[in-house]
Amino acid sequence: MAALAPLPPLPPQFKSIQHHLRTAQEHDKRDPVVAYYCRLYAMQTGMKIDSKTPECRKFLSKLMDQLEALKKQLGDNEAITQEIVGCAHLENYALKMFLYADNEDRAGRFHKNMIKSFYTASLLIDVITVFGELTDENVKHRKYARWKATYIHNCLKNGETPQAGPVGIEEDNDVEENEDAGASSLPTQPPQPSSSSCYDPSSMPSGGYTGIQIPPGAHAPANTPAEVPHSTGVTSNTIQPTPQTIPAIDPALFSTISQGDVRLTPEDFARAQKYCKYAGSALQYEDVSTAVQNLQKALKLLTTGRE
């Protein structure tokens, strides 16, 4: 992908979007779709903050140039041309990153790459708002991921051992105030696959914690850290795929046909299409379980009119 023209210095008014722009830069080659939507979020948020002062207008103008250049380069990508596909792509990427970090956390493997994965997952959930309001599940994931990143960062900084796994979020813990402290020393390089940081989906409990429900089987592929670069230097014979657990399929779905009195609304068709797009996006990550679950939801909705 062609290099983008650099942006002018970030105006102090736009401090709240600096990490989203950094995430965009980190994904220019790794995942241009993620990079595009991070910039789009920054653009929309910046317009709301200040679009009148000269330095802000200049910055937003250059950012708009980057967006137009990216859109031209990605013009034939469905994740750019269709919002449903783009939303599914971003949600799956954020969830993949969240689950990698959560797996490392539960195993007691505390390191900067894990902290960054938690924090970046929270930033990407911010970005999902370009498609509309967040689901309650995404709101909870964002809060937990951001808090975990800050908590573990502060523990390591103070020479303390973080508590592994699910712990309740202290309501008086101001995550937003600690955001910069938690992100300031995060590494700029993506995590590299290793024997200590390989993601094993089979080790992830299916239950919830602190009110957050992780869909059973909604995991990244085996041995896939949060932000794997295209070339990791790992030879193919060093990675053994981990069998995935396929969710049970409702036998009734095999014989179900659309009932004559079922009337589907345009919203029903849109939701069914969304489930199918989610399934397609999950298959890009070889996540069969999530794909099957979403296809089941679409089939049930289309045949019964209910979810």
Side-chain angles (χ1 to χ4, degrees):
M1 194 175 76
L4 300 173
L7 292 172
L10 184 76
Q13 297 95 312
F14 292 161
K15 181 181 178 182
S16 64
I17 60 174
Q18 63 179 335
H19 299 302
H20 301 87
L21 289 170
R22 182 183 303 167
T23 301
Q25 292 176 339
E26 292 171 353
H27 285 80
D28 278 336
K29 294 183 178 179
R30 191 180 310 150
D31 192 320
V33 170
V34 171
Y36 172 82
Y37 283 115
C38 284
R39 286 185 173 86
L40 181 60
Y41 171 83
M43 181 73 190
Q44 293 180 353
T45 305
M47 291 287 289
K48 295 175 184 176
I49 295 173
D50 187 344
S51 61
K52 295 182 179 180
T53 59
E55 61 176 345
C56 290
R57 289 181 64 181
K58 179 182 178 182
F59 185 88
L60 292 173
S61 176
K62 295 296 184 182
L63 182 56
M64 177 65 77
D65 291 342
Q66 286 192 348
L67 278 169
E68 291 177 351
L70 267 176
K71 195 167 186 178
K72 187 175 297 184
Q73 294 177 33
L74 301 171
D76 59 347
N77 192 313
E78 284 191 347
I80 301 298
T81 59
Q82 299 185 38
E83 285 193 356
I84 291 178
V85 182
C87 183
H89 181 97
L90 208 57
E91 283 193 332
N92 275 286
Y93 193 95
L95 180 62
K96 172 187 174 185
M97 190 169 293
F98 178 93
L99 291 173
Y100 163 74
D102 184 62
N103 184 67
E104 293 293 281
D105 176 38
R106 288 170 183 262
R109 295 190 288 263
F110 306 111
H111 48 85
K112 289 185 176 181
N113 287 332
M114 177 261 277
I115 296 172
K116 181 173 182 178
S117 293
F118 262 136
Y119 189 71
T120 303
S122 75
L123 296 176
L124 293 179
I125 296 174
D126 286 340
V127 174
I128 294 173
T129 60
V130 302
F131 303 104
E133 291 187 12
L134 294 175
T135 62
D136 291 341
E137 182 183 30
N138 280 336
V139 171
K140 291 174 181 177
H141 275 80
R142 178 176 63 180
K143 182 177 181 181
Y144 184 82
R146 194 161 296 176
W147 174 79
K148 260 291 186 179
T150 303
Y151 165 70
I152 296 173
H153 166 80
N154 289 338
C155 284
L156 297 182
K157 181 180 178 181
N158 297 328
E160 302 170 357
T161 301
Q163 181 177 341
V167 289
I169 300 178
E170 299 175 14
E171 294 302 324
D172 60 348
N173 186 334
D174 192 336
V175 177
E176 298 301 327
E177 284 189 5
N178 291 318
E179 192 171 304
D180 289 332
S184 60
S185 64
L186 297 180
T188 57
Q189 297 299 319
Q192 302 292 326
S194 69
S195 59
S196 64
S197 64
C198 290
Y199 194 168
D200 180 4
S202 62
S203 68
M204 178 66 70
S206 60
Y209 53 93
T210 62
I212 302 175
Q213 297 295 325
I214 302 294
H219 309 303
N223 303 311
T224 306
E227 300 172 88
V228 182
H230 293 298
S231 177
T232 61
V234 179
T235 56
S236 59
N237 60 1
T238 62
I239 297 179
Q240 297 299 323
T242 301
Q244 298 191 42
T245 302
I246 308 301
I249 299 177
D250 184 358
L253 292 176
F254 290 113
S255 58
T256 300
I257 60 174
S258 182
Q259 302 172 9
D261 58 348
V262 174
R263 295 185 178 180
L264 299 176
T265 66
E267 290 76 16
D268 291 332
F269 285 112
R271 283 201 300 273
Q273 185 183 24
K274 187 174 182 180
Y275 286 135
C276 291
K277 295 297 185 182
Y278 281 179
S281 183
L283 289 176
Q284 291 182 347
Y285 295 115
E286 300 177 7
D287 188 350
V288 178
S289 299
T290 301
V292 170
Q293 288 176 336
N294 281 288
L295 290 172
Q296 285 181 330
K297 289 179 181 179
L299 182 58
K300 181 178 180 181
L301 177 60
L302 293 173
T303 54
T304 67
R306 300 187 302 272
E307 292 190 68

